[in-house]
Amino acid sequence: MSQTNTPQRYRIGERDTNDRYPVDVDGAPAGHIYRWHKVWRTVVPGQEETRHPSAESAAEEVTKLVDAGALTDPSASGPAEASQTPDHALLLDLRLQPTAGNIRSAAIAHARIAELAWQPLAGYPGADNHWRMRCLICPPRWEGDRYWSHLRGRNNDRIPRPRYRHEGCIPVPEHAGKLALLVKPAPSCFCPAAHPTTADAAAVLLKSVARARRVRDTEALTGHLTRLLGPCPAATARAAAIEAALEAAKS
């Protein structure tokens, strides 16, 4: 018996600035898919997100939801308005809960990319997800996605990869001299925000974050995370202070 191939009804579009891929079904907008910690997920208004092993299987799920009548307002499948996004999304990706462990990882990452003269354009997303950044050592300032897992190096060697940073950057032999001019880590913070650089100060703020999360105080949470993760010349000392605070809490 001969078999006929079923035509593919979905089309996966180009990745947008929210790191999501729009999915059209039968030529009409139907939802989005995105990859998060090596798993693909569907985003369809009014439905719970589902997890899938590939982009194709995630898009197939969008098609099934359309056939089941789940999509009642196609216009709602777009990304949320920027005005609805909490300010701390620029420090810690909203898909990561502001737990002590995630804050520690984010603080270490923010400190190290500052040492490498990268400016984050989005919140820390974890080690193996796209992180939007701007290169600060070359004109014009390149913007694109990098993985923290690549920038931190392998096996604690602290050698970022790729060594050439990005297409069109200044030559690799010039990187060290440029970084020495641009990056001057400070041992203490003199910012108006008073970022913590001691274990005791970091511990107080971490407890304040937990309290703000518990009572759902978004404004206070943003303020605390800004002190723990916001730009600061002493970001490296701050990351060490957060680590020390968490180690002390274990004892």
Side-chain angles (χ1 to χ4, degrees), residues 177-192:
K178 191 73 170 181
L179 289 173
L181 290 173
L182 290 174
V183 181
K184 302 184 184 301
S188 300
C189 171
F190 296 98
C191 304

Side-chain angles (χ1 to χ4, degrees), residues 49-65:
E49 292 187 11
T50 54
R51 303 182 180 190
H52 305 274
S54 67
E56 291 73 20
S57 59
E60 286 283 4
E61 178 64 17
V62 175
T63 305
K64 292 177 183 177
L65 289 170

